[in-house]
Amino acid sequence: MTFKLSPLPYAESALAPAISARTMEYHYGKHHAGYIDKLNQLVQGTPYARMPLAEVILKAARDKAASDIFNNAAQVWNHDFFWRSMTPGGGGSPGDVLARKIAADFGSFDEFAKAFAAKAAGQFGSGWLWLIADDARLQIVSTSNADLPMVSGKHALLTCDVWEHAYYLDYQNDRAAFVETFLDKLANWEFAAERLAERRSAGTGERARMTGR
Ligand code: FE2
């Protein structure tokens, strides 16, 4: 076993009712754990088995023969990042530094929230919604399937999983209600602020930091 499932930063029931324990049981215990199991099967006996997770992602992204490895490795990283992007009692407006940055780059927090919701609505099929720091500016981007900002050298601050498995048990097909709840009740702005501070102090050093084991 090369890669291991990281523990959740809170109990499976800690985000309820915004995200039910049953959703977490399946999302973390089946989907996330499933990506780990599949990744371990795929890398067995290959050079990827000896690499940190971020290196697997970056190398496999450039290797057409390794698309399955890329997809499973990226989904492991994305889910780890998603769990840390939420916190019990989270949501609402961020703290001072990030609030000022969001106001500067989006006009206001409300404008940011509208743009985040619109991006979620416009995402066709499965994917991820991200707040990223691109050079000096914050941006909202979406990625399809397992894709993630790291591959294009972008630094993620926060993510929301918009695959149906993230919300279907609790919200059925109402992705908009899930994304609204993510912003109102779940977003871990302290984590996003820490990620912004890392970006400012270390440039883009994603490859060095995210050893991912
Ligand atoms: Fe997911």
Side-chain angles (χ1 to χ4, degrees), residues 107-188:
S108 67
F109 183 79
D110 285 349
E111 289 299 315
F112 158 77
K114 272 188 216 163
F116 199 80
K119 196 64 133 176
Q123 167 73 30
F124 183 78
S126 297
W128 297 84
L129 198 56
W130 305 86
L131 177 63
I132 64 164
D134 185 13
D135 296 325
R137 284 185 66 82
L138 301 187
Q139 287 182 34
I140 299 163
V141 298
S142 58
T143 58
S144 293
N145 300 319
D147 201 10
L148 68 170
M150 186 201 306
V151 168
S152 46
K154 306 294 195 298
H155 184 78
L157 307 186
L158 203 74
T159 194
C160 181
D161 186 344
V162 291
W163 285 58
E164 279 191 348
H165 68 223
Y167 55 87
Y168 209 84
L169 289 176
D170 297 326
Y171 298 85
Q172 288 73 56
N173 62 337
D174 195 349
R175 179 190 286 176
F178 169 63
V179 171
E180 188 180 337
T181 303
F182 175 86
L183 286 179
D184 287 348
K185 310 279 187 196
L186 297 170
N188 187 348

Side-chain angles (χ1 to χ4, degrees), residues 62-78:
R62 298 190 299 272
D63 178 358
K64 281 200 170 76
S67 59
D68 284 351
I69 289 176
F70 171 79
N71 285 334
N72 285 279
Q75 284 295 79
V76 169
W77 195 96
N78 291 344

Side-chain angles (χ1 to χ4, degrees), residues 27 31 35 75 79 82-83 128 161 163 165-166:
H27 198 176
H31 290 278
Y35 294 125
Q75 284 295 79
H79 282 89
F82 178 50
W83 308 135
W128 297 84
D161 186 344
W163 285 58
H165 68 223

